[in-house]
Amino acid sequence: MDTKNLLVELFVEELPPKALKKIGDAFAQILQASLKAQGLSSADSVLTQFASPRRLGLHLTQVAEQADDKQVMQKLMPASVGLTADGKATPALLKKLSALGANESAVADLKRESDGKTEVLFFNSIVTGITLTDGLQKALEETLAKLPIPKVMGYQLADGWETVNFVRPAHGLIALYGADVINVSVLGLKAGNTTHGHRFEAGIDPVYIRDADSYAKQIATEGAVIASFAERRAEIVRQLAAAASEAGSNLTPIEDEDLLDEVTGLVERPNVLIGQFEEAFLAVPQECLILTMKANQKYFPLLDTQGNLSNKFLIVSNIRPTDASLVIGGNERVVRPRLADAKFFFDQDRKKTLTSRVAGLDKVVYHNKLGTQGERIARVRAIAQAIASKLGIDAQQADTAAQLAKADLLTDMVGEFPELQGIMGRYYALHDGLAANVADAIEDHYKPRFAGDTLPRNPVGMVVALADKLETLVGLFSIGQIPTGDKDPFALRRHALGVIRMLIEGKFDLGINELIAAAEQPFNKLATEHRAALLTFIFDRLANTLREQGYSAQEIDAVLTLQPQKLVDVASRLAAVRAFAALPEAPALAAANKRVGNILKKVEGEVTAQVDPALLKEAAEIALNQTLMTVKPQADAAFAHGDYAASLQALAALKTPVDAFFESVMVNADDAALRNNRLGLLATLHHAMNQVADISKLAA
């Protein structure tokens, strides 16, 4: 079929910059998918996306003017309903055919097929392919309905009567098929071939688009707009690097992908300029200056090769005047009060010690069921002291850091920039003359804050971070605030992952039950179901992490089913399971272990893992017991030394006697003494086989 290229552009008022990339991607991709689903484009069609502050659009190659006709087999009704006993059409069938544009003459061509329950009539018809006009209209409506718009606004159309809803008021629509305008309309707009370029720098206005293929060039040359989000972003990156090099050979712009996306959503014709501020402001912690420049002004701070902030920054302007000094000067005047505010906050905050602020936390509500931040800090201190004593870490330093960890929440700087909590606490602690370990721990107790974040830099920080996260987990689980589905308002998944990472990467020889017990002490102890739910929650997070690291579901299940207490051992247990699974004896032993487990589950009461040799009658049970007496001490000794691979591999010697046992020994003997002794033998076997991992999980 003949095809041409298609252009669609929706011209709007300034779109929300943080959402522009997501909205632009969705607009183009949903529209393309709809056209493809209707048979108007194909897998060979090439998509080009456009998204700028004032436009959403796409260019799509190889679009058909009309989709191909297609054969449709339509289910009508059961044959017993549609046909009389002599095979003639019933009124119900005739009515159905009429609705499909057919008459009684079509009855002879109906197909009769079984749907598994009864014989059904099917009508085979040719459906005319949809036209591009109708298909694009449908696609546009679907697209606008599905856009990930953060907040919809209602506005009146030009007639003053009709109200429509969209992310921002829309003022123009282009729909070109080659050079021809397609007669479609959305949001009260009829498609045409005109648009508007840059607000201030367009060469002409309006811009008349000649055809679909000339759009990108025309909007750039006549409209002074880089319409492609990706091209505009790449141009900003290029200009940032060039401007940084011009500002100083050792300077580079700060890396911030979110800021880069946001700035790309703010400008249509980027022009990077160099600004600077007084060096005196560099006496303020650079995190404060960087944050105010990025968050409030959307500037890119410049750092030297050591990562220290310079007094120069980059401005991404939306205009390109011949003389940029006024633009630069204006931005420098704007940023100066922001930096002065930061300096004022910093100077004022240092007039009070962190210790003097602690009492104020008693007036800050943490959670209506868990009390104030002051009460929370008391719990964190108790947990931190317990953990520090278990690990042999300075409990006094851990207690001091825990006591002061949240004090900076009451400072002016953190009140203005909540993102700086912890960071400012460290600066103020150093100013107060506290030990570097304590100051670092105050900042680091929030870590790891996200996937890939660094861990606390010293043992005191690790202790306080563990205490803080465990207090949050235990406290919220104790009141039933357990995450469900995607909802996790208190970031408990992140807290659990932080605990897991610190225990494993910090190589802490602590049991998870031991930690939870320490965290429970400041509370009324966790209800049994809440403690079990918390343990399951932590091990589920660990399982997800291990899957991402490439371990199989079977390997993970085998190890984590036992809920090993020391998470630092999990990696070596997994390695041991993987090595064991490669042994030729592994499949048979895994199957046998599963069988043993099933037998023991069916026994009422607890089976004691004890064997009376005098009650062993069959040769196979005697042989199994003798092998166990040799293998179990070897496996136990290796397990005790943490050599999990050797512990599991010692089990290989059990394959032959275990196979023989199940072939010739009746476990459920009539004689109760014999039966209980054999169950004791199986319980001993089961214990030996399931210290490192539940190897039954490896059974096919």
Side-chain angles (χ1 to χ4, degrees), residues 263-280:
V263 169
T264 305
L266 282 167
V267 300
E268 290 196 312
R269 192 187 193 201
N271 180 30
V272 175
L273 305 169
I274 304 169
Q276 64 180 26
F277 55 84
E278 291 82 350
E279 289 190 359

Side-chain angles (χ1 to χ4, degrees), residues 175-444:
L176 287 177
Y177 185 57
D180 300 324
V181 175
I182 307 171
N183 185 24
V184 293
S185 61
V186 288
L187 302 174
L189 302 168
K190 289 186 177 180
N193 63 349
T194 62
T195 187
H196 303 276
H198 195 285
R199 276 195 185 276
F200 312 111
E201 301 195 351
I204 59 174
D205 187 66
V207 179
Y208 291 87
I209 305 301
R210 292 185 295 274
D211 57 57
D213 294 344
S214 69
Y215 171 78
K217 184 175 181 181
Q218 278 190 265
I219 202 68
T221 56
E222 299 173 24
V225 169
I226 301 174
S228 164
F229 188 97
E231 289 181 19
R232 203 164 59 255
R233 192 180 193 275
E235 175 61 15
I236 292 172
V237 170
R238 186 194 67 76
Q239 289 191 35
L240 286 172
S245 179
E246 181 184 340
S249 59
N250 66 331
L251 298 180
T252 56
I254 197 164
E255 292 185 12
D256 190 321
E257 296 298 310
D258 290 337
L259 177 62
L260 190 54
D261 282 343
E262 185 177 0
V263 169
T264 305
L266 282 167
V267 300
E268 290 196 312
R269 192 187 193 201
N271 180 30
V272 175
L273 305 169
I274 304 169
Q276 64 180 26
F277 55 84
E278 291 82 350
E279 289 190 359
F281 287 122
L282 294 176
V284 179
Q286 69 178 44
E287 292 91 342
C288 308
L289 305 181
I290 289 171
L291 186 58
T292 193
M293 283 192 283
K294 286 181 2 179
N296 295 320
Q297 307 304 133
K298 315 306 175 191
Y299 298 151
F300 285 82
L302 287 171
L303 309 177
D304 65 19
T305 50
Q306 282 75 46
N308 297 316
L309 181 67
S310 75
N311 69 322
K312 295 181 180 180
F313 59 93
L314 300 181
I315 307 150
V316 183
S317 172
N318 194 34
I319 55 176
R320 299 185 183 183
T322 304
D323 180 5
S325 60
L326 290 177
V327 177
I328 295 170
N331 279 278
E332 290 175 343
R333 283 193 299 275
V334 169
V335 77
R336 195 170 294 116
R338 295 285 189 181
L339 302 181
D341 285 347
K343 185 176 187 304
F344 175 77
F345 294 147
F346 185 54
D347 292 340
Q348 289 297 111
D349 285 342
R350 289 181 295 169
K351 292 178 181 178
K352 291 178 66 176
T353 64
L354 282 179
T355 303
S356 70
R357 297 180 187 274
V358 171
L361 293 172
D362 290 330
K363 300 176 183 177
V364 180
V365 175
Y366 166 55
H367 189 286
N368 62 356
K369 292 184 179 180
L370 295 172
T372 65
Q373 284 284 5
E375 291 171 304
R376 183 184 180 211
I377 283 299
R379 294 192 294 265
V380 173
R381 290 177 69 182
I383 298 167
Q385 287 177 324
I387 296 173
S389 64
K390 290 177 186 296
L391 293 173
I393 291 168
D394 192 321
Q396 183 56 54
Q397 284 195 338
D399 181 60
T400 302
Q403 180 188 25
L404 302 177
K406 308 294 181 184
D408 67 352
L409 296 177
L410 299 178
T411 62
D412 291 339
M413 187 71 82
V414 174
E416 180 71 14
F417 299 112
E419 302 93 330
L420 294 176
Q421 56 191 281
I423 294 171
M424 296 315 302
R426 176 179 176 275
Y427 279 107
Y428 297 144
L430 291 172
H431 179 264
D432 293 346
L434 294 171
N437 267 7
V438 172
D440 290 345
I442 290 171
E443 176 181 345
D444 290 352

Side-chain angles (χ1 to χ4, degrees), residues 497-532:
L497 286 169
V499 170
I500 289 165
R501 279 192 60 196
M502 283 187 282
L503 290 177
I504 293 175
E505 296 175 36
K507 302 188 186 308
F508 287 144
D509 191 29
L510 288 172
I512 193 68
N513 279 341
E514 185 181 10
L515 277 174
I516 291 174
E520 283 182 290
Q521 291 304 314
F523 295 91
N524 292 325
K525 285 201 170 186
L526 273 173
T528 303
E529 67 271 19
H530 289 156
R531 186 184 298 108

Side-chain angles (χ1 to χ4, degrees), residues 101-162:
N103 54 36
E104 192 171 359
S105 64
V107 173
D109 295 325
L110 296 181
K111 290 193 175 180
R112 300 168 68 155
E113 293 182 8
S114 174
D115 65 355
K117 295 180 181 179
T118 186
E119 195 173 53
V120 178
L121 298 175
F122 288 87
F123 177 61
N124 193 0
S125 63
I126 302 297
V127 176
T128 303
I130 194 168
T131 64
L132 179 57
T133 301
D134 291 340
L136 181 58
Q137 181 67 48
K138 179 182 177 183
L140 282 168
E141 291 170 0
E142 285 181 2
T143 299
L144 297 189
K146 294 178 180 178
L147 286 182
I149 297 173
K151 189 175 182 181
V152 173
M153 65 177 292
Y155 61 94
Q156 284 187 327
L157 298 181
D159 61 14
W161 293 98
E162 189 178 354

